Amino acid sequence: MVAGYGASPESRRRNELRFGALAFLLGLTVFAVDTFTDIESAIAVLYVLVLMLAANALPRAGIVRVGAGCAVLAVLSFLLSHWHDMDVQSALRCGVSLAAILITTALLVRDHLSRALLVRANGALARSEKRYRSMFEQARFSLWEQDFSGVKDALDALRAAGVTDLAAHAQANPGWARGMASLIVTTNVNDATLELLGAADRAEVLGPLERFLPAEDPAMLDALLAIHEGRDRFEGRARLIAADGRVLTVLLGISLPDDGIGFDQVVVGVVDITQRERTQEALLAAQAELARAARAATLGALSASIAHELNQPLGAIVLNAQACLRWLRRDPPDIDTASKAVERMVRDSKRAGEIVQRTRGMLVKDANCDEIIDLPQLVEEAAQLLERELSAGGATLATDFADGVPPVRASRVGLQQVLINLIANGLHAMAETGAEKGAEKGAEMGAGTAQRELTVSVDSPDPAQVRVSVRDRGTGIAEEHRARLFDPFFTTRPDGMGMGLAICRSTVESCGGTLTARNHEEGGAVFEFTIPAAAPPPSPVPSPVPSPTAAPLPAAQED
C-alpha cells in the first residue's frame, strides 16, 4: 500500500519521515557526486530516484516542490562544476537531466492524482457495499442473492442451438423448466427469508433453489422467458415450499443485469401474500354463499309470485273445462255454449303463457340485444375475470380465434355471463373428475397440462353466424343427463341450483342464437352457442339524378 493511503495516522507519519529522510540523503549524495567529481555523465538524472522516493511520502504539491528543488540543484551543480570550462556536451547533459526531472515530476503528479481518484472510488464502493449489506440484512421483506450464471449459460447454449421459442421448447420437453431451477444457486439470504421459510439458519436455505419450488409452477418458465428475452426485470406471482412443508404464495421481483454480465449475483425480492390470498378466498367464498342464498331467496319469492299469478288463470281454465264437459254431455250437446267455454280456456291459457314469458324475461334481465360485440375480445375479458379461478384450479385457458370473425349484435353483459358460466362449469367438470390427481400423476409423463386445459374457440361457420365453443377435459356428459342438461333445477353438483345452463340458453336464445352441448371425440364436453352476425349498415342508395332531357311520365304511368 502506498504511504498516505489506507494506513493509520501513526504509520503514515513514520513512512513519510522514512521516505523523506531517504530522499533528502539521496538528493545530497547526487548533488555532491555531480558537483565534486569528474564523472562525464548526466549524474543529475539520478534526481529521478529522489522524486520517486518523495512521491511515497508527499502530496502533489510536495512532489512539485521536490521536483523544482532537484532542478535547482542540477543547475547549481552544473554552474559550480563548469563555470570556467562550460561546453556544449556538459550543457546537453544538464538539459537531459532537467528534462528527466520535469518529466518524472509530471508523471508522478498524474499518477498521484490517479491513485487518489482510485482510492476515493474504492472508498465510495466500500461504503455503497456497506449500505447495501445493511439494507439487505435489515429489510423486513425477504431478499435472496442467487447465482443465475448456470441458467444464463444454458439459455445461451439453447440460443446457439437455434431454439428461439422457449415456451414451445418447454412444452416439448416436460420437466425442462424444473431442471433449470436446479441451476439456480442461493448464495445469501436475509433474516426475513429465514422467518418466511421457517428455517433455523442460512445453511438450511443456501444451495440449489429447486427444493423450494413446487413441481408445477408456471413462474419458473416466466422468469426464464424474461432472461431469454433480455429483460432487466421480472415480476410475477409464484409459490414456494417452506422448510416445514407449508405452501406459500408470494410476489417475486427479480432485478436482472441489462448488460449480459453479473448473473452470478442476482437480487430477488419476495413478499409473502399467502394470508392475503386466504382472506381473499374466504371473502369470495362468503360472497358466493351470500349470492347463492340471495338467489335461493329470490327464487322462492319468484316461485310464490308465479304461483299467485298463475293460480287465477289456471283456476279459470279448470272451471271452464268442467263447464265445457257439462255442456257437451247434455242431450243434445250445447255446442255453442261449450265453444264459448273453450274460447275462455284459450284466453286464460294465453294469460298464463304471458305470465311465464314475463317471468322468463326477468330471469334473463330482459337482455337488450342491440350492442355490437367483438366476441374474441369478450372472451379475453371473461378470461381475465376468471384468472383467479383458473389459477386456483391449476388450469390453463387456451383460445383459438379464427381470422375475420364478424361482430355480433347481442347483450354484452348477458353474453359475458354466458361465457363465465360455461368456463366455470368446465373448471368444475375437470375438478370433479379428479383432473388434478391425473395431472399430478401425469406430470412425470408430461400430460398434466393437457388434462387441465380449457379451450375457447371463436369462428364463423358462415357469414351470417358466429360460433363460440368451450371445451373442457373432463369425462364428458353422461348419456342419461344429456336430455335434461338445460332443464331448470337440474344439476349434478351437490351445491348447485340447476339454473345456470337454463339461464344461459335463455340468454342466447333471446338474442336469436342457440346453445347446444356434446361430447368431444377425444374426451371432455363441448358447449357451443351460435349468435347471428351483426348485419352491416345498409349502403346509402344515391338518389337518381333526372336527365335534363328526360320527359315527365304520363299521368297514367305514374300510378
Side-chain angles (χ1 to χ4, degrees), residues 67-86:
C70 290
V72 170
L73 290 176
V75 172
L76 180 61
S77 176
F78 171 75
L79 293 176
L80 292 175
S81 302
H82 302 87
W83 179 255
H84 299 290
D85 55 348
M86 186 178 302

Side-chain angles (χ1 to χ4, degrees), residues 473-553:
R473 264 72 174 182
T475 58
I477 306 169
E479 189 64 33
E480 62 270 19
H481 296 158
R482 187 171 301 182
R484 304 178 56 197
L485 200 59
F486 295 99
D487 291 350
F489 308 108
F490 174 75
T491 179
T492 59
R493 292 166 50 193
D495 58 344
M497 295 182 60
M499 293 298 295
L501 288 177
I503 294 176
C504 286
R505 171 172 272 187
S506 298
T507 302
V508 172
E509 290 178 350
S510 69
C511 295
T514 58
L515 174 62
T516 59
R518 57 184 172 84
N519 286 326
H520 196 275
E521 56 271 13
E522 297 179 3
V526 179
F527 286 82
E528 189 173 273
F529 66 87
T530 58
I531 293 289
S539 302
V541 179
S543 302
V545 179
S547 172
T549 59
L553 293 174

Side-chain angles (χ1 to χ4, degrees), residues 16 55 62 69 73 88 145 266 288 297 304 319 325 329 340 375 396 415 429 503 522 547 550:
E16 290 175 356
L73 290 176
V88 176
E145 278 187 2
V266 174
L319 292 176
L325 287 175
R329 287 171 180 168
K340 292 179 181 179
L375 275 178
T396 58
L415 284 190
I503 294 176
E522 297 179 3
S547 172

Side-chain angles (χ1 to χ4, degrees), residues 223-518:
L224 293 175
L225 286 171
I227 298 173
H228 187 69
E229 294 169 2
R231 284 182 269 167
D232 61 355
R233 185 164 184 81
F234 167 75
E235 294 180 354
R237 188 170 65 177
R239 289 184 296 167
L240 292 176
I241 301 176
D244 55 5
R246 292 176 295 122
V247 177
L248 307 173
T249 303
V250 298
L251 292 178
L252 289 180
I254 305 178
S255 298
L256 298 170
D258 55 0
D259 54 1
I261 60 175
F263 278 92
D264 58 338
Q265 194 175 18
V266 174
V267 178
V268 180
V270 178
V271 178
D272 184 12
I273 60 170
T274 306
Q275 190 60 41
R276 189 184 77 179
E277 293 287 299
R278 290 174 180 171
T279 303
Q280 185 71 12
E281 290 175 0
L283 177 61
L284 292 176
Q287 290 175 343
E289 187 64 24
L290 181 61
R292 182 177 177 275
R295 288 196 300 269
T298 302
L299 186 59
L302 185 61
S303 300
S305 174
I306 294 172
H308 175 74
E309 292 196 45
L310 288 180
N311 186 53
Q312 196 276 334
L314 291 179
I317 291 172
V318 171
L319 292 176
N320 285 316
Q322 292 173 346
C324 180
L325 287 175
R326 287 198 303 271
W327 293 116
L328 290 176
R329 287 171 180 168
R330 283 194 172 189
D331 189 14
D334 191 341
I335 301 299
D336 292 337
T337 305
S339 298
K340 292 179 181 179
V342 172
E343 290 174 358
R344 291 193 295 271
M345 291 168 58
V346 172
R347 179 199 63 194
D348 292 330
S349 298
K350 289 182 177 179
R351 285 181 57 201
E354 290 173 356
I355 292 172
V356 172
Q357 185 65 25
R358 187 171 68 252
T359 304
R360 178 179 177 273
M362 292 171 60
L363 287 175
V364 298
K365 299 182 180 180
D366 289 329
N368 190 11
C369 300
D370 60 355
E371 298 178 78
I372 302 299
I373 301 169
D374 182 9
L375 275 178
Q377 180 182 0
L378 195 67
V379 170
E380 297 288 356
E381 294 175 0
Q384 292 178 3
L385 293 174
L386 290 171
E387 182 179 359
R388 178 175 180 79
E389 286 77 4
L390 290 165
S391 177
T396 58
L397 181 66
T399 56
D400 181 13
F401 301 147
D403 295 331
V405 175
V408 299
R409 187 181 298 276
S411 167
R412 171 175 289 275
V413 174
L415 284 190
Q416 187 179 71
Q417 192 60 38
V418 168
L419 286 169
I420 290 174
N421 282 338
L422 295 181
I423 295 173
N425 284 348
L427 290 174
H428 287 299
M430 291 191 295
E432 291 173 358
T433 54
E436 291 188 343
K437 291 183 179 179
E440 293 175 2
K441 181 178 179 181
E444 300 175 357
M445 303 167 58
T449 303
Q451 289 182 336
R452 290 176 292 172
E453 183 179 79
L454 277 164
T455 304
V456 180
S457 58
V458 180
D459 61 358
S460 180
D462 60 70
Q465 283 188 331
V466 177
R467 177 174 59 193
V468 180
S469 301
V470 180
R471 182 201 168 189
D472 61 59
R473 264 72 174 182
T475 58
I477 306 169
E479 189 64 33
E480 62 270 19
H481 296 158
R482 187 171 301 182
R484 304 178 56 197
L485 200 59
F486 295 99
D487 291 350
F489 308 108
F490 174 75
T491 179
T492 59
R493 292 166 50 193
D495 58 344
M497 295 182 60
M499 293 298 295
L501 288 177
I503 294 176
C504 286
R505 171 172 272 187
S506 298
T507 302
V508 172
E509 290 178 350
S510 69
C511 295
T514 58
L515 174 62
T516 59
R518 57 184 172 84

